[in-house]
Amino acid sequence: MAWNEELNSNDRILMGPGPSNAHPRVLKAMASPLIGHLDPYFLEVMEDIKVMVQHTFQTRNHLTFVVSAPGTAGMETCLVNLIEPGDEVVICVHGVFGTRMVDIATRCGAKVITIEAEWGTAIDPEQVKAVLERSSPKLLAIVHAETSTGVLQPLEAISKMVRDAGALFVVDAVTSYCGTDLKVDEWGIDAIYSGSQKCLSAPPGLSPVSFSEKAVQALDNRKSKVQSWFLDLSLVKNYWEGAKRAYHHTAPVSAMFALREAYRLVMEEGLDKRFARHWENHLLLKSGLEAMGFEFIVPEGYRLPMLNAVKVPDSLDEATLRTRLLNEYGIEVGGGLGKFAGKIWRIGLMGEGSNKNHINMLLSALHQLT
Ligand SMILES: *Cc1c(COP(=O)(O)O)cnc(C)c1O
């Protein structure tokens, strides 16, 4: 493409680990005329979004809003605000995103204890129990849907242990959010972050977050300033909450318009129906892929419905096949990340992309190419 050619991104079927395809209503909302980020009309948009973030996180948490930056910034918001130098924290690592949390926590000056599970498996609550018996961490952080391995991590048993130990429970829900059940209040989650571009099917670059009363108390009890100005909740919350609405940063107005519309679509469908749709489409893709010799790497019962991690049959060259899918069919699937690079595919059925047409397009393209 030459610099003076008009953009044309129209032909892509997004079946990777995100972003997912957005609904035309979301794209139309994004093209709405710009308004000021302190315009009363925009403040209403922010309020609408906040109500829908609370609904979809299944929480009544007051401190619930959207960080103006991608999922990783949501991760960093949770960790930099809750950790002070010298704090002991436990981080569960069963893929790339757990590893990223360890890196951020270490940069915050935390003493990090890691609990590891083999990639492709979930963290065993017994491991958590053993670690909590010999430590007293300020928080425990874990990834609900490990996008690098395709594992759905059960949270409830671990949450109870963390609560009993008096620690805060921090959850990465970037990929699970709006695609599988996630009950922030009922499951005792104290801090949670997600992303806009996975099962919400909004443009990338925004991160819904929520904090429990217990997390807010921990913030209020900090002895040192949060080392990040932009992500410091004590500052940014004055923009999202209360009568003040103080200028903090210029909100990404167009992306927020799009996000509001993406939430409206989620609300229209209803969470239960949305979760069921993700599950049914996962099963449909699974039967088609298994018939072609692809094998799921995650044991049954721990598989993500929105991210299918599969081993490509040895007879096929995964990199060539992935390139041909993109160039000849406009279909994007994800390759392996980290340890799994070159070994697996990660096929996303996220949000708008969780539909039978996408599945049929991928399966028939694979039949034609192999
Ligand atoms: C995608 C993802 C992130 C990071 O989100 P970005 O928007 O890419 O910064 C974090 N955690 C998990 C589990 C993810 O899948």
Side-chain angles (χ1 to χ4, degrees):
M1 181 178 65
W3 65 268
N4 58 353
E5 245 174 71
E6 190 176 12
L7 287 173
N8 178 13
S9 59
N10 213 15
D11 65 340
R12 292 291 198 257
I13 305 298
L14 301 179
M15 300 186 73
S20 56
N21 289 104
H23 191 284
R25 270 171 52 188
V26 171
L27 300 176
K28 179 168 164 255
M30 193 161 55
S32 301
L34 282 174
I35 58 175
H37 69 288
L38 292 170
D39 186 315
Y41 189 80
F42 189 67
L43 299 181
E44 278 179 45
V45 168
M46 290 167 74
E47 272 307 296
D48 296 344
I49 289 172
K50 183 176 166 178
V51 168
M52 295 189 280
V53 180
Q54 285 171 325
H55 180 87
T56 44
F57 271 143
Q58 305 187 53
T59 183
R60 301 164 73 97
N61 284 343
H62 195 62
L63 187 52
T64 299
F65 67 101
V66 178
V67 177
S68 300
T72 305
M75 179 189 287
E76 198 140 0
T77 298
C78 290
L79 297 176
V80 299
N81 281 279
L82 295 175
I83 297 173
E84 290 190 76
D87 283 345
E88 187 172 75
V89 306
V90 177
I91 297 184
C92 298
V93 179
H94 54 129
V96 165
F97 294 102
T99 311
R100 185 173 294 183
M101 288 204 277
V102 171
D103 195 357
I104 294 173
T106 306
R107 288 166 191 235
C108 295
K111 291 186 203 126
V112 180
I113 302 170
T114 57
I115 298 178
E116 300 192 20
E118 202 182 315
W119 283 35
T121 68
I123 301 285
D124 178 357
E126 288 304 313
Q127 289 172 275
V128 175
K129 193 171 163 210
V131 167
L132 291 178
E133 273 166 7
R134 59 177 168 79
S135 63
S136 48
K138 182 167 185 193
L139 63 84
L140 178 141
I142 195 164
V143 178
H144 188 207
E146 216 349 311
T147 321
S148 61
T149 65
V151 169
L152 178 64
Q153 173 68 49
L155 294 178
E156 286 175 85
I158 293 175
S159 167
K160 185 168 185 320
M161 292 173 190
V162 174
R163 215 172 325 146
D164 290 347
L168 296 164
F169 191 41
V170 179
V171 172
D172 174 319
V174 177
T175 285
S176 56
Y177 181 53
C178 291
T180 189
D181 206 9
L182 173 63
K183 294 182 163 75
V184 169
D185 287 357
E186 201 176 310
W187 296 355
I189 297 169
D190 293 300
I192 190 157
Y193 59 91
S194 188
S196 48
Q197 77 275 33
K198 304 206 179 175
C199 296
L200 249 177
S201 289
L206 294 171
S207 175
V209 294
S210 185
F211 298 86
S212 72
E213 281 307 312
K214 201 167 125 193
V216 172
Q217 273 167 23
L219 287 170
D220 292 344
N221 291 337
R222 280 186 71 103
K223 289 177 202 73
S224 56
K225 274 194 176 180
V226 174
Q227 78 268 25
S228 163
W229 186 90
F230 185 66
L231 301 176
D232 184 344
L233 286 170
S234 67
L235 303 173
V236 76
K237 78 176 180 198
N238 293 332
Y239 176 46
W240 273 87
E241 287 190 337
K244 268 193 278 179
R245 300 292 183 170
Y247 165 68
H248 177 265
H249 64 278
T250 308
V253 171
S254 308
M256 297 286 273
F257 285 164
L259 184 70
R260 180 176 179 277
E261 198 57 27
Y263 273 121
R264 274 166 35 84
L265 286 158
V266 174
M267 302 290 280
E268 279 170 25
E269 181 174 20
L271 287 177
D272 288 341
K273 272 201 189 149
R274 194 173 180 90
F275 302 153
R277 169 166 64 83
H278 278 82
W279 189 249
E280 283 158 20
N281 286 325
H282 155 72
L283 293 178
L284 186 66
L285 176 70
K286 171 179 174 285
S287 61
L289 286 174
E290 284 179 344
M292 297 184 70
F294 288 80
E295 286 167 28
F296 277 73
I297 62 163
V298 175
E300 210 167 340
Y302 294 91
R303 290 178 193 156
L304 292 174
M306 71 289 287
L307 197 282
N308 299 270
V310 290
K311 198 183 155 300
V312 180
D314 288 334
S315 56
L316 303 176
D317 177 31
E318 80 83 17
T320 309
L321 197 53
R322 212 150 35 83
T323 308
R324 291 192 66 189
L325 277 174
L326 188 66
N327 293 343
E328 296 170 34
Y329 296 82
I331 298 175
E332 177 186 89
V333 297
L337 208 57
K339 283 182 210 179
F340 283 161
K343 301 202 173 88
I344 66 163
W345 276 5
R346 296 177 301 142
I347 305 173
L349 294 173
M350 296 181 172
E352 289 299 318
S354 173
N355 68 64
K356 292 189 174 64
N357 281 340
H358 277 197
I359 295 168
N360 289 338
M361 279 190 268
L362 175 64
L363 292 175
S364 62
L366 286 172
H367 276 294
Q368 284 165 29
L369 288 172
T370 59

